[in-house]
Amino acid sequence: KAGVTQTPRYLIKTRGQQVTLSCSPISGHRSVSWYQQTPGQGLQFLFEYFSETQRNKGNFPGRFSGRQFSNSRSEMNVSTLELGDSALYLCASSSGGWGNTEAFFGQGTRLTVV
Amino acid sequence: AQSVAQPEDQVNVAEGNPLTVKCTYSVSGNPYLFWYVQYPNRGLQFLLKYITGDNLVKGSYGFEAEFNKSQTSFHLKKPSALVSDSALYFCAVRATTGGGADGLTFGKGTHLIIQP
């Protein structure tokens, strides 16, 4: 069974640009969550989607948005990039809609904003 | 609001010795608790979880963790450390309320270094 796939693995963008990251969950998984990992703030929850609906959102500005498609694939978009958005963005999928199921993480997309 | 504390930035253990990585949590109501491991330039790998029932849970690669409700702790343990266990370990919590919509709240992580 293929794992969670995130594309691209690495990105370099200029301040002010926008970026779209993609995540393909494990087959059959309907829940997809996104996290930002930085050395200073650690791992922080961005948002969670289940069956194409955003169910929860972390404490991030509106420049961060996402969506989920009918095949459970998900994208996240960051507009008007800032230097502080440089981070490893991790996508995770889980099989159930309940909190007791473990999340499986992709290898992440390393975004560098210059 | 939920939170996780991993009080040690780094834990050093000699190969073959037992290891413990500490985690305490704060959550409204009962918790779901998880341990993940991260190797350099990789995503997180699931190790084990506590949902309900037996306070001692066993997971991958010989790891186990003990849930202690009174101390709000969920320490990760292994009887005999291997050099290959060297990695970054994260404890995470999610409240049992919220229907699964709440994201995981992670600790800052603990670097585990196993010395040959």
Side-chain angles (χ1 to χ4, degrees), chain A residues 35 37 56 97 99-100 102-103, chain B residues 36 38 49 94 99 101-102 104:
Chain A
Y35 294 83
Q37 185 177 22
N56 205 352
N100 60 355
E102 60 269 30
Chain B
Y36 285 87
Q38 186 176 35
K49 66 180 179 182
R94 177 190 280 136
D102 297 331
L104 289 166

Side-chain angles (χ1 to χ4, degrees), chain A residues 35 43 45, chain B residues 1-4 26 91-94 102-107:
Chain A
Y35 294 83
L43 280 155
F45 170 69
Chain B
Q2 52 199 35
S3 64
V4 174
S26 174
C91 180
V93 69
R94 177 190 280 136
D102 297 331
L104 289 166
T105 296
F106 286 88

Side-chain angles (χ1 to χ4, degrees), chain A residues 40-59:
Chain A
Q41 298 299 316
L43 280 155
Q44 293 185 285
F45 170 69
L46 280 157
F47 27 65
E48 190 262 356
Y49 287 87
F50 183 79
S51 294
E52 302 179 65
T53 300
Q54 185 183 90
R55 297 200 299 178
N56 205 352
K57 192 177 192 304
N59 190 25

